[in-house]
């Protein structure tokens, strides 16, 4: 885990935002659990706004607003929130974590359809004729 920093415009001055570029597994799992509805596995629902808010409250360590508080994140000016999201979400892309969850559910995802076909052909066995 490393602390990363960037600056934002805050009330006519520059302020520094510090955040952790990685969080522990339990925190991430809890966030994903709150944001994903898999009651219908073939129709998953993802609450992206909640995901972004929870990630920011978990990883921002220094800011000109109260950290670790969802209401502070919700009350940011949209222009400020956009800058913060753009920087922080580079390290927390939801697609990466969704892919890992799907892989856990269905097994390793392969890019090469030929490898799947050859595995299926080999699993049937040889005809003894």
């Amino acid at each position: 885990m490393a602390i990363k920093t960037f600056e934002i415009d805050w009330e006519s001055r520059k302020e520094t935002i510090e955040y952790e570029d990685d969080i522990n597994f339990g925190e991430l799992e809890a966030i994903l659990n709150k944001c994903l509805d898999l009651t219908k596995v073939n129709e998953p629902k993802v609450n992206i706004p909640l995901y972004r808010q929870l990630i920011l409250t978990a990883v921002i360590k220094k800011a000109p607003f109260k950290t670790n508080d969802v209401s502070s994140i919700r009350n940011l000016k949209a222009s400020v929130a956009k800058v913060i999201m753009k920087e922080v979400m580079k390290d927390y892309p939801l697609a990466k974590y969704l892919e890992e969850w799907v892989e856990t559910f269905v097994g390793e995802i392969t890019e090469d359809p030929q490898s799947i076909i050859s595995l299926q052909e080999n699993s049937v066995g040889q005809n003894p004729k």
Side-chain angles (χ1 to χ4, degrees), residues 17-31:
I17 302 286
E18 291 182 356
Y19 73 97
E20 293 179 354
D21 68 348
D22 197 7
I23 60 176
N24 68 46
F25 178 74
E27 279 183 293
L28 180 59
E29 289 287 297
I31 289 170

Side-chain angles (χ1 to χ4, degrees), residues 61-72:
K61 300 305 173 195
K62 179 186 173 200
F65 51 87
K66 188 175 178 182
T67 60
N68 201 19
D69 180 48
V70 174
S71 63
S72 292

Side-chain angles (χ1 to χ4, degrees), residues 6-123:
F6 61 94
E7 289 188 342
I8 60 168
D9 290 322
W10 182 264
E11 298 177 357
S12 302
R13 64 183 186 278
K14 294 285 187 189
E15 290 285 344
T16 300
I17 302 286
E18 291 182 356
Y19 73 97
E20 293 179 354
D21 68 348
D22 197 7
I23 60 176
N24 68 46
F25 178 74
E27 279 183 293
L28 180 59
E29 289 287 297
I31 289 170
L32 291 173
N33 191 43
K34 290 176 185 175
C35 300
L36 297 174
D37 178 1
L38 298 175
T39 52
K40 294 182 181 179
V41 177
N42 59 339
E43 296 176 26
K45 295 179 183 173
V46 181
N47 187 334
I48 294 172
L50 182 60
Y51 172 77
R52 297 183 335 163
Q53 292 167 21
L54 293 175
I55 287 291
L56 292 182
T57 59
V59 303
I60 293 178
K61 300 305 173 195
K62 179 186 173 200
F65 51 87
K66 188 175 178 182
T67 60
N68 201 19
D69 180 48
V70 174
S71 63
S72 292
I73 301 297
R74 289 183 182 146
N75 290 321
L76 290 172
K77 299 280 187 197
S79 58
V80 172
K82 180 180 176 182
V83 171
I84 295 170
M85 292 288 175
K86 184 177 180 181
E87 288 298 319
V88 174
M89 290 303 153
K90 289 176 185 176
D91 291 306
Y92 297 96
L94 180 56
K96 171 186 170 186
Y97 302 116
L98 291 176
E99 182 179 295
E100 289 172 1
W101 268 36
V102 169
E103 189 173 291
T104 300
F105 184 71
V106 299
E108 187 174 345
I109 299 171
T110 179
E111 294 290 323
D112 182 13
Q114 282 301 107
S115 65
I116 294 172
I117 293 169
S118 66
L119 286 175
Q120 290 173 345
E121 291 173 356
N122 289 337
S123 66

